[in-house]
């Protein structure tokens, strides 16, 4: 699945920004402009995918 | 997923605020100085939802909203949240358009709105964010 940013806004105006299908810290670069445009970041949680290596290594394994 | 960030929305963009008013079928915001019941004075972009005694004042410098609904007697507290929701949705759409990204909107059962942003031709941030196996080969 292609990388995407999902932004959910509740009826009370509470907003969460979630990145999906990014590998490594590139998700931060992608979502930062949206986070800054929307307001002030109040919390952040890293997921296991954040710590994953970029999938280049995987492709090398596949070719070997 | 990679990371999840919670953002306290700040209404700093007059264009997004105007779009939020259109979305909620409200008159466009006006620049006014308002004296609330407690004699506090606020200047900013005012939004006048139906049934509100005092308008909602948006200070687009700080992004803060000011209102006096007298615990719901002078206006719906929930509507203040809906204005902030509409602002965040429209601000996201404007941001996506400016960056050449695609943005689709989905209404959720609980009244929330989900916006899904995908990259345009230039990718996210103008640099590749993800390498598929084919691209890396």
């Amino acid at each position: 699945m292609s990388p995407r940013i999902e932004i959910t806004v509740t009826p009370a105006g509470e907003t969460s920004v979630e990145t999906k299908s990014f590998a490594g810290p590139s998700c931060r670069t992608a979502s930062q402009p949206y986070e800054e445009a929307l307001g002030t970041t109040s919390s952040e949680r890293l997921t296991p995918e954040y710590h994953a290596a970029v999938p280049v290594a995987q492709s090398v394994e596949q070719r070997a | 997923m990679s990371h999840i960030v919670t953002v306290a929305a700040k209404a700093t963009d007059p264009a997004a605020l105007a779009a939020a008013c259109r979305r909620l079928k409200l008159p466009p915001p006006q620049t006014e100085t308002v004296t609330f019941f407690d004699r506090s004075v606020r200047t900013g972009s005012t939004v006048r939802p139906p049934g509100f005694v005092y308008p909602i004042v948006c200070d687009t410098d700080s992004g803060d909203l000011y209102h006096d609904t007298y615990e719901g007697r002078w206006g719906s507290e929930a509507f203040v949240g809906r204005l902030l929701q509409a602002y965040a949705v429209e601000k996201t759409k404007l941001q996506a358009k400016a960056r050449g990204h695609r943005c689709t909107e989905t209404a959720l059962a609980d009244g929330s709105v989900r916006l899904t942003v995908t990259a345009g031709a230039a990718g996210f941030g103008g640099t590749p964010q993800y390498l598929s196996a084919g691209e890396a080969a």
Side-chain angles (χ1 to χ4, degrees):
Chain A
M1 188 170 283
S2 60
R4 63 192 189 280
I5 305 168
E6 286 190 355
I7 297 166
T8 304
V9 193
T10 71
E14 294 161 358
T15 304
S16 67
V17 180
E18 184 172 346
T19 53
K20 292 192 172 181
S21 297
F22 286 86
S26 62
C27 58
R28 275 184 164 158
T29 308
S31 65
Q32 191 175 25
Y34 288 91
E35 295 162 18
E36 290 177 352
L38 284 168
T40 307
T41 300
S42 54
S43 71
E44 181 183 48
R45 182 164 65 86
L46 302 179
T47 65
E49 197 176 60
Y50 179 89
H51 300 285
V54 292
V56 174
Q58 181 185 352
S59 71
V60 171
E61 288 173 11
Q62 288 171 343
R63 293 175 64 196
Chain B
M1 57 190 144
S2 308
H3 78 307
I4 302 169
V5 172
T6 303
V7 177
K10 294 284 187 179
T12 55
D13 183 350
L17 184 62
C21 287
R22 286 194 296 275
R23 181 184 185 90
L24 296 172
K25 297 180 171 51
L26 298 176
Q30 306 290 319
T31 301
E32 289 181 86
T33 297
V34 175
T35 303
F36 287 108
F37 183 79
D38 65 358
R39 312 309 299 168
S40 63
V41 178
R42 299 289 180 185
T43 299
S45 296
T46 57
V47 176
R48 295 182 178 277
F52 274 59
V53 174
Y54 293 100
I56 301 170
V57 180
C58 305
D59 181 341
T60 52
D61 291 329
S62 67
D64 293 328
L65 303 183
Y66 300 95
H67 56 91
D68 182 359
T69 58
Y70 189 19
E71 298 176 340
R73 296 178 182 88
W74 291 349
S76 166
E77 286 279 340
F79 198 95
V80 180
R82 284 184 59 204
L83 176 63
L84 202 54
Q85 180 189 40
Y87 173 85
V89 168
E90 295 299 328
K91 179 63 182 175
T92 298
K93 289 161 69 175
L94 288 172
Q95 181 74 358
K97 186 176 181 182
R99 303 184 74 81
H101 298 161
R102 290 181 293 274
C103 182
T104 58
E105 182 179 331
T106 307
L108 304 182
D110 67 353
S112 297
V113 176
R114 175 164 297 155
L115 298 145
T116 302
V117 179
T118 52
F124 282 113
T127 55
Q129 303 296 309
Y130 182 88
L131 296 174
S132 69
E135 289 168 333

